[in-house]
Amino acid sequence: MELVEERACRYRIERHGPMRVPGIVFATRDLLADAEKSLEQVVNVATLPGIVAASYAMPDIHWGYGFPIGGVAATDIDDGGVVSPGGVGFDISCGVRLLVADCDRRELQPALRAVMDGLDRAIPRGAGPGGVWRLSGPGQLERILEGGSRYAVEQGYGEDRDLMRCEDGGAVADADVMQVGARARERGLGQVGSLGSANHFLEVQQVAEVHDETVAAAFGLAADQVCVMIHCGSRGLGHQICSDHVKAMGQAMARYGITVPDRQLACTPVDSPEGRDYLGAMAAAANYGRVNRQLLTHAARRVFDRAAGVRLSLVYDVSHNLAKIETHTTDGTRRRLCVHRKGATRAFPPGHPELPEDLRDVGQPVLIPGTMGTASYVLTGVPGGDAFYSTCHGAGRTMSRHQAARTVTGRELGARLERAGVAVRPRSWRGLSEETPEAYKDVSAVVAASERAGLCRTVARLVPLGVVKG
């Protein structure tokens, strides 16, 4: 596939065939070395009805369901623009939450082992059921789906500041519980407040470098400070919602005269009954994901308080698998768009009206988890950010889990991490081996490419002290 280099870390795939817009890829040649299949998905996304500007891909691009992971696409709602569940993914509202401790590494060190052992016991994880909150029944689940973190905080699982520092104030509006099917509810009932498995984690970290002291201070970060990063999503409930609505849209497309080059791109107009139903169910799953991270925050706070007398405060919580209705200027016209971000993080610039007042002058915190034993990053949005103010979401996978597990055993990897000073608490050794750092791109290279492309700016680099894995 021909990639035309427009400038540093920005490549263009010219329109051809049924493409309605070009493809724009933010990356280096090295980061795209094994991206042929995912670049084909960039081209396929460019055929969606109503798509505007371009089909975008972030530096951590890799192959996904329909859309590439690291894909961004916006459709014009008033011009027949579609919504596609494949542009959000199965783990709806998978995202990252960063907490900051009122201590530095030196102060925590004597209690670190006790903290990690406490987190190992307190954080439910793995593929099956089990969560921090045992719900009373379907009625309480519905209140979670409608109210998100706001409901959790009302029930004593957090503080008001948590809502101020969470995307959408802790809850996505317009959730429609009636569009969440029985099987999705069944799966969600027993998993709220749990990490899940695969690449999800809770990590104790240290601020290793501060690149922008003014912004870091506004975020509450300082050199050597201890942090906690939580990466998880909407578990089986979100997965089932995606499956249900992909099927419904696949059956409905012919009625709207829509054809797509890949059935995984099933879609319908945003303003169609099927489009509205999906967005309502997606919002409900997003609220479940917010509650999930809120409850894990509550569990982590209790462990840190008991084991070390340390308090944790929320820096920010942001999703990287979501479709949102936003207004942007394209071709000189303000348009109401459905912005799909799949494996891509919203990165609003300073002054954006949707940011909390105490962050409006510096921009939105953008949280980029790395791989075990490497680094994670805190970025911020920048004026004129491309791709509808979006940037990368992590390192980007290069190996399948099966391939990764063949390269190293979990015990070998655990020992390696421990020698490097990272305390490891896995649910299973197999799960640990599947997430070996060699299975991912270099997160530092991904962040550097994102910054060179003008999508964001680096605020701080974080390194792991201990990790709890599913």
Side-chain angles (χ1 to χ4, degrees), residues 75 77 81-85 88 92 145 172-177 179-180 241 245 249 268-287 322-325 336-340:
T75 63
I77 298 170
V82 297
V83 59
S84 173
V88 173
I92 296 169
L145 298 177
V172 181
D174 301 323
D176 186 349
V177 176
Q179 303 310 320
V180 179
I241 285 173
H245 287 268
M249 287 188 178
T268 61
V270 174
D271 277 341
S272 69
E274 295 84 3
R276 290 191 294 270
D277 288 352
Y278 170 70
L279 287 173
M282 183 207 71
N287 289 339
L322 215 55
K324 304 193 81 169
I325 307 304
R336 193 169 59 107
L337 305 178
C338 179
V339 183
H340 301 74

Side-chain angles (χ1 to χ4, degrees), residues 39-304:
L39 291 176
E40 290 175 4
Q41 292 185 311
V42 172
V43 170
N44 289 342
V45 170
T47 69
L48 291 178
I51 189 170
V52 299
S55 170
Y56 294 100
M58 300 296 119
D60 49 337
I61 179 177
H62 55 291
W63 185 85
Y65 183 92
F67 275 58
I69 298 169
V72 176
T75 63
D76 187 338
I77 298 170
D78 298 321
D79 191 28
V82 297
V83 59
S84 173
V88 173
F90 284 94
D91 196 0
I92 296 169
S93 192
C94 184
V96 186
R97 172 173 287 222
L98 184 67
L99 304 154
V100 65
D102 59 356
C103 71
D104 60 23
R105 177 177 182 169
R106 178 185 55 81
E107 294 169 311
L108 182 67
Q109 193 63 47
L112 180 58
R113 184 182 183 89
V115 166
M116 294 307 302
D117 288 343
L119 292 171
D120 192 25
R121 292 188 296 268
I123 302 300
R125 54 204 193 274
V132 170
W133 197 352
R134 289 183 176 273
L135 301 184
S136 60
Q140 193 167 44
L141 176 62
E142 288 194 2
R143 289 190 283 275
I144 285 172
L145 298 177
E146 291 172 345
S149 289
R150 296 174 196 170
Y151 176 67
V153 170
E154 288 172 6
Q155 298 302 303
Y157 292 97
E159 55 198 35
D160 288 343
R161 186 179 183 278
D162 293 343
L163 304 180
M164 294 167 50
R165 286 295 187 97
C166 183
E167 183 183 13
D168 305 308
V172 181
D174 301 323
D176 186 349
V177 176
M178 298 304 295
Q179 303 310 320
V180 179
R183 177 58 180 147
R185 296 178 189 228
E186 180 184 340
R187 296 180 70 177
L189 196 59
Q191 294 183 331
V192 66
S194 61
L195 271 183
S197 56
N199 62 339
H200 297 153
F201 64 80
L202 183 150
E203 194 166 272
V204 180
Q205 302 171 331
Q206 170 196 0
V207 180
E209 292 180 291
V210 173
H211 293 250
D212 188 319
E213 292 189 359
T214 300
V215 178
F219 290 175
L221 299 170
D224 297 322
Q225 196 164 19
V226 170
C227 300
V228 174
M229 181 174 281
I230 300 170
H231 175 211
C232 66
S234 52
R235 299 293 320 272
L237 179 136
H239 192 286
Q240 191 65 48
I241 285 173
C242 182
S243 297
D244 292 345
H245 287 268
V246 164
K247 181 178 179 180
M249 287 188 178
Q251 295 170 343
M253 281 194 297
R255 294 203 302 272
Y256 300 101
I258 295 173
T259 58
V260 291
D262 180 352
R263 62 183 180 82
Q264 294 180 354
L265 290 174
C267 58
T268 61
V270 174
D271 277 341
S272 69
E274 295 84 3
R276 290 191 294 270
D277 288 352
Y278 170 70
L279 287 173
M282 183 207 71
N287 289 339
Y288 185 97
R290 308 284 168 81
V291 171
N292 210 14
R293 294 191 287 275
Q294 184 66 42
L295 292 172
L296 293 170
T297 296
H298 177 76
R301 281 171 169 160
R302 294 182 68 180
V303 169
F304 269 79

